[in-house]
Amino acid sequence: MGIVNITPDSFSDGGLYTSTDDAVLHAVRLIEEGADILDIGGESTRPGSVPVCVEEELRRVLPVVQALANNGTPISVDTSKPEVMCATIKAGATMINDINALRSPGALKIVADGGVTVCLVHMQGEPKYMQSDPQYKDVILEVKDFLQQRIDAVEAAGIVRERIVIDPGFGFGKALKHNLKLLRYLDQFTDMGMPILAGLSRKSMLREITGNKKGDLVSSSVSAALLAAINGARILRVHDVKATKDALKVYNAVTS
Ligand code: 8Y7
């Protein structure tokens, strides 16, 4: 799964490219690099980030989904807002990637009625404060319990099992030790019976481990993605599609 982040327009008048053009060009490049799914997002959910309103998120995301939908590569939309889910599903998105796990009022029904896939992500707290002091007694058990509760709610709303993906939510209200434990024991999520998605790409835990700066996290991201795959992840949410595919080719060659 290749990440397409849409940033605010840096220049909406007179610039060569708008954020829409930039995002579409980037998406096409990720497809060429071998992405099987694109994850399109218009609101930063990084730790400490501040939410944007529905209108602004739609203004960023919808034209990009419209440009890319129905071209053969499935489109996932990274959003927690029911209005954004509804509009992008109508425009052809086939997956909703929700770090809030469809807890926003109305979200369950929109995804059920749309017949699309959902990725349920675990998060402790909310993006603004989630990294201040995350606490767990048993991180694996607590994340599994939360995901099982959300699976139950999602199934009760009429979303079939075949359309549910689970994600422990690396970095979402987790200290380094929690992230490491989740990655090490990721295979303990396989008995929940749903495909596991892992998002580790360029996350701050990799900065903590390597001591590297933001611009120097490709090798550590690929390593983490490969470990996640070995431990049972079926979908890898990454910025560096080509590098990650190369690592997976080596893994597949050795194991097949
Ligand atoms: C994840 C994610 C982000 C993740 C899923 C970042 C939107 C933060 N991380 N979605 N989104 N899983 N499913 O650093 O780990 O990319 S945003």
Side-chain angles (χ1 to χ4, degrees), residues 166-245:
I166 53 172
D167 182 339
F170 291 101
F172 286 98
K174 281 124 192 149
L176 177 60
K177 61 177 177 185
H178 304 130
N179 289 316
L180 291 175
K181 201 161 184 193
L182 285 167
L183 183 51
R184 178 169 182 172
Y185 297 107
L186 194 66
D187 65 336
Q188 293 192 16
F189 288 79
T190 52
D191 66 6
M192 299 183 76
M194 320 270 167
I196 299 166
L197 188 154
L200 291 143
S201 191
R202 302 186 189 175
K203 286 199 170 167
S204 66
M205 61 178 279
L206 303 174
R207 264 190 286 163
E208 284 184 69
I209 295 169
T210 61
N212 292 356
K213 297 211 169 67
K214 259 190 185 151
D216 187 16
L217 295 173
V218 178
S219 307
S220 52
S221 295
V222 171
S223 307
L226 184 61
L227 286 163
I230 291 170
N231 287 349
R234 285 290 162 271
I235 305 173
L236 304 169
R237 183 179 179 276
V238 304
H239 299 88
D240 305 290
V241 171
K242 169 75 162 61
T244 310
K245 292 282 279 198

Side-chain angles (χ1 to χ4, degrees), residues 45-239:
T45 38
R46 285 190 165 270
S49 60
V50 188
V52 299
C53 67
V54 172
E55 290 71 27
E56 176 59 17
E57 195 178 324
L58 269 177
R59 199 185 62 76
R60 294 182 196 176
V61 168
L62 194 56
V64 179
V65 174
Q66 285 166 338
L68 295 167
N70 311 311
N71 275 328
T73 304
I75 303 296
S76 160
V77 175
D78 153 24
T79 189
S80 296
K81 295 190 183 70
E83 298 90 340
V84 176
M85 296 174 187
C86 189
T88 54
I89 290 169
K90 279 198 186 112
T94 55
M95 178 169 178
I96 297 297
N97 175 30
D98 184 4
I99 61 154
N100 204 34
L102 301 187
R103 284 177 291 172
S104 310
L108 283 170
K109 182 168 168 32
I110 285 165
V111 170
D113 291 351
V116 296
T117 299
V118 62
C119 178
L120 301 170
V121 185
H122 174 273
M123 172 170 63
Q124 185 181 87
E126 285 169 38
K128 203 164 176 0
Y129 305 109
M130 65 189 177
Q131 290 306 101
S132 58
D133 187 24
Q135 300 279 352
Y136 298 86
K137 282 203 190 75
D138 182 332
V139 67
I140 307 290
L141 220 65
E142 287 171 53
V143 171
K144 281 186 82 169
D145 276 353
F146 170 87
L147 289 174
Q148 191 56 57
Q149 279 177 34
R150 294 313 299 155
I151 290 169
D152 294 345
V154 158
E155 288 198 292
I159 298 166
V160 295
R161 299 178 69 80
E162 291 72 24
R163 295 211 175 277
I164 305 171
V165 173
I166 53 172
D167 182 339
F170 291 101
F172 286 98
K174 281 124 192 149
L176 177 60
K177 61 177 177 185
H178 304 130
N179 289 316
L180 291 175
K181 201 161 184 193
L182 285 167
L183 183 51
R184 178 169 182 172
Y185 297 107
L186 194 66
D187 65 336
Q188 293 192 16
F189 288 79
T190 52
D191 66 6
M192 299 183 76
M194 320 270 167
I196 299 166
L197 188 154
L200 291 143
S201 191
R202 302 186 189 175
K203 286 199 170 167
S204 66
M205 61 178 279
L206 303 174
R207 264 190 286 163
E208 284 184 69
I209 295 169
T210 61
N212 292 356
K213 297 211 169 67
K214 259 190 185 151
D216 187 16
L217 295 173
V218 178
S219 307
S220 52
S221 295
V222 171
S223 307
L226 184 61
L227 286 163
I230 291 170
N231 287 349
R234 285 290 162 271
I235 305 173
L236 304 169
R237 183 179 179 276
V238 304
H239 299 88

